[in-house]
Amino acid sequence: MEEIVDAISRAAVRIKRAIEFGDTSYSKSLNKTGDTQLKLDIASDLIIEEEFKKTLCVKAIISEEKETAQTLNEDGKYIVGYDPLDGSSLIDVNLAVGSIFAIYEKEADAKFITAAVYVVYGPRTEMVTAIDDVKLYRLDESSNFKEIKNIKLNKKGKLNASGGTQKGWADYHKKLIDDIFADGYRLRYSGGMVPDLHQILLKGGGLFSYPSTTDAPKGKLRLLFEVFPFAFVFEKAGGKAVDGKKRLLELEVSHIHDTSPCFFGSGDEIERVLNEYAKH
Ligand code: AHM
Ligand code: MG
């Protein structure tokens, strides 16, 4: 696992530089989800692929930016699912973006997730690893990630990050979100799941939701490289992660680009979600 975290650290330093000084224009290609790729999406994907190629324990990689899984080393133990540059449409307005990694053994399936790592490229570059516990690292002046602290969620938080087009929300979802705001929660939503979830993790708790909507009944966020890794991080930090009815880490994957509605948060907020959704 250390080898994988080292590869991610090296990739993060290179991606940070690419974000700061690279070409921020669009390419001519679409990814599997139909998004026009930024040149930076493609560059970040290549950087990660290059770093994992040097990492013998990685058997295969599955990227949001690639149509199919790619085998790197038949004898490797791990399959890494990743989103090289999540929230890349926020680059032009200079908001924080991130890279997300899920590390699976045997198969790319929630049952086999053994670790998750993400990197936030904001005013500072930070990395969070969830293996046995959840640890925050920060990039120092010599381009090394220095351990800062363990991350643990409180039972209840104060932030509410509510995603998805409101016009397409179910009535009961709207009621849930309205009730949470009525209880004094504050809106925090940048449109980048990495910084939005990072904020909830570091400020002690709250709720992030990306529900089913009329235009995206299965939500927007992808199981293998966005939903499962963050579900793993939240559970390891003492929080919960559900699709409205069940634990996200119990969902089955039929295709590598499958998506799901998702809710991540501290215990109390996720109980509220489950109670409201159980009525429908
Ligand atoms: P991306 O992988 O194409 O960048 O999309 C994922 C992002 C997440 O970071 C974020 O939570 C979500 O899309 C925001 O979507 P919306 O703009 O619909 O709120
Ligand atoms: Mg993404």
Side-chain angles (χ1 to χ4, degrees), residues 25 30 33 73-74 160 234 259:
S25 64
L30 297 179
T33 322
N73 170 28
E74 278 299 346
N160 191 13
F234 269 71
T259 61

Side-chain angles (χ1 to χ4, degrees), residues 10-31:
R10 291 194 304 271
V13 171
R14 294 177 61 191
I15 293 171
K16 168 189 149 57
R17 278 195 72 80
I19 294 168
E20 284 171 351
F21 307 112
D23 181 348
T24 56
S25 64
Y26 279 93
S27 72
K28 292 200 177 74
S29 46
L30 297 179
N31 69 9

Side-chain angles (χ1 to χ4, degrees), residues 34-157:
D35 307 321
T36 306
Q37 291 171 303
L38 280 174
K39 289 183 182 161
L40 274 177
D41 287 316
I42 301 170
S44 307
D45 188 33
L46 273 175
I47 289 172
I48 292 168
E49 183 186 321
E50 275 172 25
E51 295 300 341
F52 283 142
K53 277 186 174 155
K54 302 178 201 156
T55 311
L56 292 180
C57 66
V58 176
K59 180 177 181 180
I61 51 175
I62 305 175
S63 164
E64 182 178 312
E65 303 301 338
K66 297 186 203 300
E67 188 143 358
T68 53
Q70 186 180 337
T71 302
L72 296 186
N73 170 28
E74 278 299 346
D75 300 324
K77 179 174 172 191
Y78 299 106
I79 300 165
V80 184
Y82 63 91
D83 182 351
L85 200 56
D86 182 74
S88 54
S89 62
L90 299 173
I91 299 248
D92 58 355
V93 289
N94 205 15
L95 283 177
V97 292
S99 303
I100 314 167
F101 303 84
I103 296 103
Y104 304 94
E105 275 185 52
K106 293 193 187 97
E107 269 176 57
D109 185 297
K111 287 198 280 298
F112 300 118
I113 186 165
T114 51
V117 178
Y118 68 83
V119 180
V120 196
Y121 311 99
R124 297 190 282 203
T125 301
E126 295 186 330
M127 175 170 72
V128 171
T129 61
I131 305 173
D132 297 319
D133 53 8
V134 184
K135 285 196 164 64
L136 171 71
Y137 298 81
R138 187 172 298 140
L139 198 66
D140 68 12
E141 285 158 308
S142 346
S143 290
N144 293 312
F145 280 99
K146 197 168 154 231
E147 188 174 332
I148 305 291
K149 62 172 184 176
N150 274 30
I151 299 179
K152 205 82 197 139
L153 283 161
N154 299 331
K155 216 175 142 288
K156 187 175 185 306

Side-chain angles (χ1 to χ4, degrees), residues 31 35 64 83 85-89 163-165 189 191-194 196 208 210 220-222 226:
N31 69 9
D35 307 321
E64 182 178 312
D83 182 351
L85 200 56
D86 182 74
S88 54
S89 62
T165 322
Y189 192 78
M193 80 179 298
V194 177
D196 287 339
F208 173 97
Y210 205 106
K220 173 181 184 192
L221 301 172
R222 297 92 174 165
E226 295 173 327

